[in-house]
């Protein structure tokens, strides 16, 4: 049996099990309590996260909490940990087929289905931040392009929202000091999405691993270096126990955000009020995440340095310049796809205009910081 058939059979079995349990519960209620009205019963959605713990699970639960509180109890999301019903690699398909009602993840996790997925999270840096990428999604045509990908290209029964601007991800953890492109050539390195192609172009040997497997793989010497996302997640994984050189700043994944998806039939069956709650809770959680990240990431970076002896450096200008050159070589291979090229054109048009304003308007924040703190 092929892997695809195994996955299909696995998902089908789980769907029958979950639905059977739901019908059994309804039947038991009807038989045991025939006179009790269920009109006031809350609508319950099962949402599986790609996160079993750490701050990413916090962010997912923050979204769930907002939905549950905003609805006043009429709509309830049950959060399921990673792997509770299906594997992370199966989550998108499971939502499409209604095995689970929703999922909280990132688009890079289904990059293998369509490379354009990476453009909605781990794509090229046009000089923009994750917040500017979210601006493109919500006001620059990105949402419409995402829906085209879901509906027309992949033909999935999915409704999705984007939430949570992630700061530029560190280049990552290295056993040795790396200052030049020559220093990283041949290293076995963990990353995901289009970043894998970029690092391969730079001479690294790329391994794509889920978050929970990164630290054990590095501890056993299966990889030489790795990145995940931020100082808090990295600290929670225990990366400081397997490497002491931590490099911040990189163009490999300089902007990303979460993707929150729901089965289209489940979503369309909701009231207009509940649909709005799912949508606007994502925006509220997005804002709160950006503020929480400021506190947690900076605090945990200090802890890594002071309590765990980690040497924190900024990635060299030489390596970051080479990353941009690698992007220039990787992109043309994917631009042959008309849809991919259309998304890139839309992003560049947005950032050319938005960046012109931001870069002209922004004062010298670095100079002000140095003026007061050295």
């Amino acid at each position: 049996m092929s892997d695809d058939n195994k996955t299909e059979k696995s998902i089908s079995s789980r769907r029958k099990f979950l639905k059977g349990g739901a019908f059994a519960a309804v039947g038991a209620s009807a038989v045991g309590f025939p006179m009790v009205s269920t009109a006031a019963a809350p609508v319950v959605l099962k949402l599986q996260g790609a996160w079993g713990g750490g701050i990413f699970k916090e962010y997912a639960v923050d979204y769930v909490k907002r939905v549950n509180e905003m609805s006043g109890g009429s709509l309830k999301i049950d959060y399921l940990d990673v792997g509770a019903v299906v594997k992370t690699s199966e989550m998108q398909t499971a939502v499409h087929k209604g095995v689970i009602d929703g999922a909280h993840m990132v688009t890079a996790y289904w990059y293998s289905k369509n490379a354009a997925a990476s453009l909605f999270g781990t794509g090229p840096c046009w000089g923009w931040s994750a917040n500017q990428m979210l601006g493109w999604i919500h006001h620059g045509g990105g949402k419409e392009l995402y829906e085209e990908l879901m509906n027309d290209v992949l033909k999935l029964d999915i409704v999705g929202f984007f939430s949570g601007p992630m700061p530029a991800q560190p280049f990552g953890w290295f056993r040795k000091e790396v200052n030049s492109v020559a220093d990283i050539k041949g290293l076995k390195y963990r990353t995901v999405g289009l970043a894998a192609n970029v690092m391969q172009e730079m001479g690294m040997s790329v391994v794509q691993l889920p978050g929970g497997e990164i630290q054990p793989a590095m501890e056993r010497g299966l990889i030489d270096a790795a990145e995940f996302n931020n100082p808090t997640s990295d600290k929670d994984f225990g990366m400081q126990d397997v490497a002491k050189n931590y490099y911040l700043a990189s163009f490999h994944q300089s902007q990303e955000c979460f993707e929150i998806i729901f089965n289209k039939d489940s979503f369309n069956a909701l009231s207009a009020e509940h649909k709005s709650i799912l949508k606007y809770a994502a925006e509220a959680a997005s804002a709160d995440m950006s503020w929480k990240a400021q506190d947690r990431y900076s605090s945990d970076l200090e802890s890594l340095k002071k309590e765990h002896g980690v040497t924190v450096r900024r990635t060299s200008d030489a390596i970051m310049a080479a990353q941009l050159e690698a992007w220039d070589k990787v992109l043309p291979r994917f631009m042959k796809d008309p849809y991919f090229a259309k998304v890139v054109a839309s992003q560049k048009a947005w950032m050319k205009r938005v960046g012109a304003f931001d870069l002209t308007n922004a004062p010298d924040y670095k100079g002000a910081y140095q003026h007061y703190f050295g």
Side-chain angles (χ1 to χ4, degrees):
M1 181 183 290
S2 70
D3 289 341
D4 288 342
N5 288 336
K6 288 180 181 177
T7 298
E8 180 76 22
K9 184 175 180 181
S10 173
I11 288 176
S12 177
S13 298
R14 291 185 179 104
R15 181 169 67 251
K16 290 177 181 177
F17 171 77
L18 290 174
K19 288 187 175 179
F23 287 131
V26 172
S29 175
V31 172
F33 305 95
M35 300 302 293
V36 176
S37 171
T38 59
V43 176
V44 179
L45 299 176
K46 302 289 186 181
L47 180 144
Q48 182 175 310
W51 336 108
I55 198 165
F56 276 16
K57 179 179 176 179
E58 278 188 50
Y59 292 146
V61 172
D62 285 344
Y63 171 71
V64 169
K65 180 180 178 182
R66 279 162 175 74
V67 170
N68 293 347
E69 291 184 359
M70 290 166 68
S71 75
S74 62
L75 175 64
K76 183 176 184 294
I77 292 183
D78 285 343
Y79 178 80
L80 307 174
D81 276 339
V82 61
V85 180
V86 295
K87 297 177 181 178
T88 298
S89 60
E90 299 174 354
M91 284 169 58
Q92 187 194 62
T93 301
V95 173
H96 161 67
K97 293 183 176 296
V99 177
I100 50 178
D101 299 306
H104 188 286
M105 55 184 184
V106 292
T107 60
Y109 286 177
W110 48 272
Y111 161 74
S112 61
K113 296 181 181 178
N114 192 295
S118 206
L119 296 175
F120 294 90
T122 54
C125 181
W126 313 117
W128 63 358
S129 66
N131 199 43
Q132 290 165 326
M133 183 186 72
L134 280 167
W136 166 72
I137 287 172
H138 289 289
H139 296 284
K143 177 69 171 176
E144 292 75 15
L145 286 166
Y146 171 79
E147 290 172 351
E148 180 181 344
L149 178 60
M150 292 291 104
N151 298 330
D152 302 333
V153 179
L154 295 176
K155 301 188 183 306
L156 297 174
D157 290 325
I158 282 175
V159 173
F161 304 106
F162 289 89
S163 179
M166 300 181 192
Q169 296 177 32
F171 190 29
W173 298 83
F174 293 78
R175 296 184 185 280
K176 64 177 185 177
E177 189 173 337
V178 292
N179 297 307
S180 67
V181 177
D183 292 334
I184 65 173
K185 285 187 181 296
L187 294 183
K188 289 175 287 187
Y189 178 82
R190 182 271 176 190
T191 192
V192 295
L194 282 173
N197 302 80
V198 171
M199 294 309 180
Q200 286 171 342
E201 186 66 39
M202 294 179 68
M204 303 184 89
S205 176
V206 176
V207 179
Q208 301 200 43
L209 297 171
E213 296 180 18
I214 299 172
Q215 196 263 14
M218 198 158 177
E219 186 174 38
R220 296 196 301 269
L222 301 178
I223 55 176
D224 304 307
E227 59 80 36
F228 181 66
N229 191 277
N230 62 75
T232 300
S233 292
D234 294 356
K235 180 174 175 287
D236 289 343
F237 279 143
M239 296 302 296
Q240 66 275 9
D241 298 328
V242 295
K244 295 297 183 183
N245 295 289
Y246 192 30
Y247 286 85
L248 302 188
S250 180
F251 286 124
H252 78 289
Q253 290 182 9
S254 55
Q255 66 289 316
E256 192 175 16
C257 60
F258 291 116
E259 178 193 29
I260 305 170
I261 59 174
F262 293 96
N263 174 268
K264 186 180 290 185
D265 290 337
S266 297
F267 182 83
N268 287 338
L270 298 173
S271 66
E273 179 184 24
H274 286 168
K275 291 176 184 176
S276 294
I277 288 172
L278 293 179
K279 174 183 176 181
Y280 293 121
E283 295 180 7
S286 185
D288 183 65
M289 173 183 155
S290 70
W291 306 325
K292 179 185 284 189
Q294 293 174 34
D295 174 41
R296 297 284 288 280
Y297 297 175
S298 60
S299 296
D300 283 320
L301 185 65
E302 288 296 306
S303 174
L304 287 170
K305 291 190 291 185
K306 295 178 180 179
E307 299 173 22
H308 299 279
V310 173
T311 300
V312 177
R313 299 183 178 91
R314 182 174 173 83
T315 303
S316 71
D317 290 342
I319 289 177
M320 285 196 281
Q323 288 175 341
L324 291 177
E325 292 173 1
W327 273 114
D328 290 341
K329 294 176 181 177
V330 166
L331 274 179
R333 304 170 195 165
F334 296 92
M335 294 286 280
K336 298 172 184 177
D337 173 12
Y339 173 79
F340 190 103
K342 181 164 62 172
V343 177
V344 166
S346 175
Q347 291 182 340
K348 292 178 76 173
W350 168 262
M351 194 51 204
K352 185 176 181 181
R353 173 166 58 86
V354 172
F357 167 73
D358 278 358
L359 294 174
T360 304
N361 182 65
D364 181 9
Y365 287 114
K366 182 177 180 181
Y369 182 92
Q370 291 177 334
H371 175 78
Y372 288 105
F373 307 112

